[in-house]
Amino acid sequence: MSMDFGFDLISDEEYERQRGLYGPLTDSLRRLIEAGLHTEADEDTVRDAQNRIEAVAEMLETKQRAKSTLVHEATGRPLAWANPAVGLRNAIAPPMVIHHEDDGQCWSEFTLSAAYEGPPGWVHGGICALVLDHILGEAASEGLTRPKFTGTISLRYLRGTPLGDLRAEAFVERTEGVKTFARGYLKDANGPTVEAEGVFIQPAWARDAG
């Protein structure tokens, strides 16, 4: 069984062009989310802002891209730019950049703002789970270059995760057949706040293709 995900190859030159164009747009959208969360502007200002935002949305809706996934031609890595964990073009995604070490470890250092708040001053537990599920998957799939889907993931919340500067990291513990076992942590300046372990499974269609 094969699956067609609508992959389109993208050259390195086009990759850099799109990063330079859409990355700042996403940053502006994140700023808008933060501004909307905290504004205490007067009623007229809020209504004027709403009209302006809707006008900008209409501008951007004049031409929409096809829903295919881009694949970097040189590396073979999919560019999941709509991904809610790391998508370059998804303003709700935490601003994570994943780094890959030669030994297979993955890590990212980033800042979570009030847009990701659960209890006042603390990161929502579901956001912690999102971050860890993604970074464990990055490690298990060798940087998303091999199809591995989350089978199970278990998290242990050691203490509250404060909003602000954080680090996520993950590594593969072992592989057994089609299953890859990964472990990871979310940390602040004082050490781990959440630990996770997951089992990632190679889908049947990928086994058949191999």
Side-chain angles (χ1 to χ4, degrees):
M1 175 182 177
S2 63
M3 297 183 69
D4 181 6
F5 290 105
F7 291 153
D8 288 334
L9 290 178
I10 182 172
S11 68
D12 192 58
E13 180 179 6
E14 179 62 12
Y15 167 78
E16 293 297 338
R17 186 192 74 81
Q18 291 198 25
R19 278 185 58 86
L21 179 63
Y22 296 120
L25 173 63
T26 304
D27 289 339
S28 294
L29 291 171
R30 286 196 180 103
R31 180 182 175 187
L32 181 61
I33 290 171
E34 286 285 319
L37 283 172
H38 298 293
T39 188
E40 291 188 349
D42 61 74
E43 183 174 345
D44 287 343
T45 300
V46 170
R47 295 194 184 282
D48 183 40
Q50 179 185 351
N51 290 334
R52 290 170 183 257
I53 291 167
E54 289 178 353
V56 170
E58 289 179 5
M59 289 172 56
L60 295 176
E61 288 168 350
T62 57
K63 185 176 181 180
Q64 297 282 288
R65 68 183 180 89
K67 298 187 186 312
S68 59
T69 297
L70 299 176
V71 175
H72 193 277
E73 189 173 25
T75 65
R77 179 179 169 86
L79 307 178
W81 281 354
N83 187 297
V86 293
L88 176 79
R89 297 182 62 173
N90 192 337
I92 69 171
M96 296 172 62
V97 176
I98 309 295
H99 301 274
H100 299 268
E101 301 295 343
D102 292 340
D103 62 2
Q105 182 182 10
C106 298
W107 61 274
S108 180
E109 293 180 346
F110 52 95
T111 301
L112 292 185
S113 67
Y116 306 99
E117 187 176 63
W122 304 94
V123 179
H124 191 291
I127 299 298
C128 298
L130 172 72
V131 166
L132 285 166
D133 179 55
H134 184 84
I135 202 162
L136 264 67
E138 288 262 0
S141 65
E142 300 178 29
L144 305 183
T145 61
R146 297 180 180 276
K148 297 284 180 72
F149 296 156
T150 308
T152 61
I153 186 167
S154 301
L155 295 99
R156 184 181 176 204
Y157 293 85
L158 306 174
R159 55 188 174 89
T161 301
L163 295 173
D165 296 337
L166 298 168
R167 176 184 173 96
E169 56 189 46
F171 57 92
V172 171
E173 289 191 312
R174 68 186 189 280
T175 299
E176 297 177 1
V178 299
K179 296 181 179 180
T180 299
F181 297 78
R183 181 178 294 274
Y185 302 90
L186 184 61
K187 300 179 176 181
D188 66 4
N190 296 315
T193 62
V194 186
E195 62 181 13
E197 55 184 17
V199 181
F200 295 82
I201 301 173
Q202 184 183 35
W205 57 265
R207 300 172 218 167
D208 295 341

